[in-house]
Amino acid sequence: MGGVTSTWVEPSNTATALLLLGRGSDPATERGVECPGDLPAPSDPDLVARAAAAKAALGTKVFVLGHHYQRDEVIQFADVTGDSFKLAREAAARPDAEYIVFCGVHFMAESADILTSDAQKVILPDLAAGCSMADMAVLSQVETAWDVLTELGVAADTVPVTYMNSSADIKGFVGRNGGLVCTSSNAKRALDWAYQQGGKVLFLPDQHLGRNTAVLEMGLSLDDCVLYDPHKPNGGLTEQQLRDAKMILWRGHCSVHGRFTLDSVNEVRERVPGVNVLVHPECRHEVVTAADHVGSTEYIIKTIEAAPAGSAWAVGTELNLVRRLALAHPDKQIMFLDKAVCYCSTMNRIDLPHLVWALEELAAGRVVNQITVDRDTAHHARVALDQMLALPGADTPPPAAA
């Protein structure tokens, strides 16, 4: 399986220290995301014992959630693993757990706070664990874009749809303006509903998921989609472009999935005859169209599990998950789609030392790094989430928050 390549050559002592701390900059990534290169060796074994002891002391008062992209040293202490929405719903289904420790990133912990009761406290072991994609859609920018659409007279016919990978502020905006949240699994169902409400969609914040769903699953053309850049007047678009567009895509993307290229696909096909290319829909349009299979994180896992022994798979998603799949299925050849793509470094900020610290503080009666969403934002975000859960084919909604 491909490893991680680094662009640093003979770094200074200071640069080396920053690299090991996960703070070495990679100019190819978006603001707020840094590529640490290969991760340090596993944590001191004493930390494993301390984490186990603190978790045992807390008993049923704590429920630990682990996202698929987390390090193995953290995943071993998770009560449940999954994608962001599955984990938030798992938290809501555990009303007796006083503490929800979310080993993921900030927007995921916000969603858990929205879906759980006021009596529960959601903890993020490292507050620096953010998401560059979510950070690409700031509420003030989205409100400005909505003002542009309003002045053009098209806002009334536009339904905002936000990907789960967005801040509570953006989910709240969508809920206030008649829209809904979607996941990578139900994006088509969400867009089907949106187009029943209006003739135009503002899709936040991941342009690739929006474009891939609209074009590959709904029959829209690339010309029906325009890209709104919040850093340019009118999003860098003409008034006519905004009026004619059926899909207004926000200029945002995942800094891991967005780095896979068509060259990555072509190279692995040349190197591994008969390989199956399996990618996440957050990948670029040309990557998704060149792949053999496309789907959410849960889809990727199930596809690998169901694959026949001896088959070869190049997987375009976060490296921790790909490595975990390779270890779990030694009878299959599972590799990373592109050797040059790094880990999700913000997700990797949740390491064993941070988890041990959070659990030991909770065991001592000190609540740390609690994530809270204000009531008004939480209310409207819940409206948008509930609308998603009401889609045809949706699973049973989680318990109502108290």
Side-chain angles (χ1 to χ4, degrees):
M1 181 178 1
V4 177
T5 62
S6 172
T7 57
W8 288 274
V9 178
E10 296 183 356
S12 66
N13 290 338
T14 299
T16 300
L18 290 174
L19 176 62
L20 293 175
L21 288 169
R23 302 191 180 193
S25 295
D26 181 346
T29 62
E30 287 295 319
R31 173 180 60 84
V33 171
E34 298 163 332
C35 182
D38 282 327
L39 291 174
S43 300
D44 188 310
D46 288 345
L47 289 175
V48 173
R50 288 172 61 181
K55 193 166 184 281
L58 287 161
T60 58
K61 292 176 63 177
V62 70
F63 192 63
V64 180
L65 305 172
H67 191 272
H68 287 308
Y69 298 167
Q70 288 290 300
R71 310 169 187 232
D72 288 342
E73 66 179 37
V74 170
I75 285 290
Q76 67 180 312
F77 292 103
D79 295 301
V80 173
T81 59
D83 61 15
S84 59
F85 189 55
K86 174 186 175 181
L87 293 178
R89 296 185 66 184
E90 287 284 353
R94 301 300 196 285
D96 295 334
E98 182 178 351
Y99 305 120
I100 305 295
V101 177
F102 209 124
C103 298
V105 294
H106 197 274
F107 79 81
M108 300 177 187
E110 286 183 328
S111 296
D113 185 59
I114 291 166
L115 291 174
T116 53
S117 72
D118 290 343
Q120 295 174 285
K121 297 176 176 62
V122 178
I123 309 300
L124 185 65
D126 186 349
L127 293 179
C131 171
S132 65
M133 181 199 296
D135 290 344
M136 290 176 199
V138 178
L139 179 59
S140 60
Q141 295 174 333
V142 176
E143 289 176 335
T144 296
W146 197 252
D147 289 342
V148 169
L149 298 179
T150 300
E151 291 171 8
L152 288 177
V154 298
D157 194 41
T158 302
V159 178
V161 177
T162 190
Y163 188 22
M164 191 72 184
N165 300 27
S166 58
S167 69
D169 283 344
I170 298 304
K171 292 183 179 75
F173 168 88
V174 168
R176 283 192 297 272
N177 289 281
L180 79 168
V181 177
C182 76
T183 69
S184 55
S185 298
N186 67 16
K188 182 183 183 298
R189 294 204 304 272
L191 290 178
D192 283 338
W193 178 87
Y195 282 116
Q196 292 170 10
Q197 317 306 311
K200 195 184 301 286
V201 166
L202 171 63
F203 194 90
L204 304 155
D206 180 26
Q207 59 170 301
H208 300 305
L209 177 62
R211 181 182 296 107
N212 290 329
T213 305
V215 174
L216 300 179
E217 297 191 53
M218 304 190 66
L220 274 67
S221 71
L222 289 173
D223 290 338
D224 291 325
C225 307
V226 296
L227 188 61
Y228 188 99
D229 186 341
H231 303 291
K232 296 180 179 179
N234 284 352
L237 300 167
T238 66
E239 293 183 358
Q240 195 60 47
Q241 284 176 310
L242 286 169
R243 289 194 177 98
D244 292 344
K246 294 181 180 178
M247 170 72 81
I248 301 172
L249 301 165
W250 195 260
R251 189 172 183 177
H253 65 274
C254 170
S255 296
V256 171
H257 291 109
R259 291 184 59 169
F260 294 109
T261 66
L262 184 57
D263 286 343
S264 306
V265 178
N266 293 335
E267 187 278 332
V268 79
R269 290 198 190 282
E270 291 178 5
R271 180 165 49 87
V272 186
V275 70
N276 298 278
V277 177
L278 171 61
V279 303
H280 195 282
E282 290 176 18
C283 292
R284 302 180 191 190
H285 186 67
E286 60 268 25
V287 172
V288 167
T289 54
D292 300 301
H293 305 273
V294 182
S296 66
T297 304
E298 297 287 347
Y299 172 87
I300 289 172
I301 294 170
K302 290 177 181 177
T303 299
I304 294 294
E305 289 175 345
S311 56
W313 296 84
V315 185
T317 192
E318 207 273 344
L319 187 52
N320 273 318
L321 175 59
V322 179
R323 286 186 167 173
R324 192 171 298 124
L325 288 171
L327 290 172
H329 301 279
D331 59 329
K332 303 160 192 176
Q333 187 182 0
I334 300 171
M335 66 207 75
F336 197 48
L337 178 58
D338 191 327
K339 299 175 184 178
V341 179
C342 68
Y343 298 90
C344 177
S345 59
T346 49
M347 187 76 74
N348 271 275
R349 294 197 70 97
I350 309 296
D351 55 13
L352 194 50
H354 281 90
L355 178 59
V356 168
W357 170 75
L359 291 174
E360 289 183 339
E361 289 294 294
L362 293 175
R366 295 184 290 268
V367 177
V368 295
N369 289 8
Q370 183 178 356
I371 301 299
T372 57
V373 179
D374 69 86
R375 285 185 176 274
D376 182 68
T377 300
H379 168 74
H380 289 101
R382 181 73 191 235
V383 168
L385 287 164
D386 284 344
Q387 183 58 63
M388 177 183 72
L389 292 168
L391 292 172
D395 296 332
T396 303

